[in-house]
Amino acid sequence: VMETRSSNLRFLRFCMAAYPERFVRGPASGGYAVGPIIYIDSSLANLIGSRAEAVDFALDYSSEGFGGVLDLAGSATWVRELRVEALPGQPATDYTGVATASFGNGYSDFGSLAWRGNASARWTKGPLSIGWSGCFSDGYHPTTDRCIYYLLDI
């Protein structure tokens, strides 16, 4: 038994109206004006709307110092907004600072850390080079409602 939800039917109607070439029908029969759907082209298509605003920062600096050459570098990205309309006509969801399980496992493109960055420093003198590098990943929420759920085993 297949459960049919009204949101699924709305989405199917939207797809049929927006992409009629993806639906192949058989001949009309049984008193209906159109035939049954016999094939659906389910290849990738951009069906949703999204809005993203982000700022990238970068810094590279090199100078003689401490008896050698000091190189400093850094880069960061700030995602100000990442809104995704999962279904046409539905309110957009803000995924800024949200990393759902499906996003973390690579099943979904919805999600983004608000801040992330890299930094490095290197001092060089002749054949000797000493360096440091580090990465920063901002905290995130596991759900779009930004709540933390605790499971109590009592």
Side-chain angles (χ1 to χ4, degrees), residues 52-77:
E53 285 187 25
V55 179
D56 291 324
F57 304 91
L59 169 73
D60 288 306
Y61 177 77
S62 184
S63 178
E64 290 189 16
F66 306 105
V69 177
L70 180 63
D71 295 309
L72 303 174
S75 63
T77 298

